[in-house]
Amino acid sequence: MTRLLIIGPPGSGKGTQAVHIARHFSIPTVSTGDIFRTNVSNETPLGVEAARYLDDGALVPDELTNALVKDRLLESDLQPGFLLDGYPRTATQVTELDNMLASQSQRLDAVVELRAPDSELEQRMLQRAKEQGRKDDTIEVFRRRLDLYHNETHEVVAVYAGRGMLVSVDGSGDPGDITTRAIAAVEKFLAEGVTP
């Protein structure tokens, strides 16, 4: 039973790495984006409420995000474990997640933090914009998202580092190499109970 969380700045390839790491450990990936989309498309009561914010381009409030994540964590496919992607984003949400897991007599085993220099993240974003033609991938938008990440998620990283649960991984270079490093670091941490 492995319960992981992955954290990384925009452009770090977090979504890609989450899929590979989860596959390696034979656990489902749970992303807040997927949770929102599933609930909205199924028109669940929480999904209908979330859609009101999403349709306006607003952030879904913490209380609603917490409720959606809590519902998802109760589903039977996550009993063998999971890899959380996109939650928690704030120190308040860390406390909420602690409570959700404690109510099921569970806890996180490790938190994977992908690290890469801002300059490399910027280059990746520009490359993605060129390949995918995404209009929202501008330097200005990217830098705002990066600032938001550093400001918000710094707290989350600090909390898990303080608990000795943080597994920092060099997120620079080839995606395949990053996957190899991440899996090796998590396996070492789980085996030894120490950060590599």
Side-chain angles (χ1 to χ4, degrees), residues 17-196:
Q17 295 305 326
V19 170
H20 292 307
I21 296 166
R23 187 180 299 133
H24 176 81
F25 288 100
S26 302
I27 53 176
T29 307
V30 179
S31 83
T32 45
D34 289 344
I35 293 171
F36 290 158
R37 283 186 288 277
T38 301
N39 278 273
V40 169
S41 66
N42 292 338
E43 296 184 352
T44 67
L46 290 172
V48 169
E49 203 178 330
R52 291 207 303 268
Y53 295 96
L54 297 169
D55 291 346
D56 290 340
L59 287 174
V60 177
D62 267 10
E63 192 176 306
L64 183 51
T65 301
N66 294 338
L68 286 160
V69 171
K70 185 176 184 177
D71 271 5
R72 179 68 184 97
L73 291 179
L74 290 170
E75 292 178 25
S76 60
D77 66 316
L78 301 188
Q79 289 313 302
F82 53 79
L83 188 150
L84 264 178
D85 172 10
Y87 182 95
R89 288 183 185 273
T90 63
T92 307
Q93 288 181 350
V94 170
T95 304
E96 281 296 323
L97 178 61
D98 286 344
N99 294 336
M100 288 175 209
L101 294 174
S103 72
Q104 300 180 57
S105 302
Q106 297 175 356
R107 63 178 181 77
L108 286 176
D109 296 304
V111 177
V112 181
E113 180 199 23
L114 293 177
R115 289 184 168 186
D118 289 358
S119 56
E120 182 174 340
L121 298 172
E122 233 173 71
Q123 285 308 308
R124 286 185 194 170
M125 184 279 303
L126 289 170
Q127 185 64 33
R128 186 177 74 179
K130 201 161 66 175
E131 289 170 0
Q132 299 178 8
R134 286 176 54 163
K135 298 281 188 282
D136 62 329
D137 275 344
T138 65
I139 288 292
E140 294 73 27
V141 169
F142 175 77
R143 286 182 180 157
R144 272 202 303 276
R145 287 172 58 212
L146 199 55
D147 285 345
L148 188 65
Y149 171 81
H150 288 314
N151 292 335
E152 276 193 351
T153 316
H154 170 75
E155 289 183 318
V156 176
V157 169
V159 169
Y160 289 123
R163 294 180 186 179
M165 297 174 65
L166 199 67
V167 181
S168 290
V169 176
D170 178 3
S172 301
D174 177 72
D177 293 342
I178 298 167
T179 302
T180 303
R181 284 196 295 269
I183 289 170
V186 173
E187 284 187 331
K188 181 176 182 188
F189 179 84
L190 295 176
E192 300 176 6
V194 293
T195 306

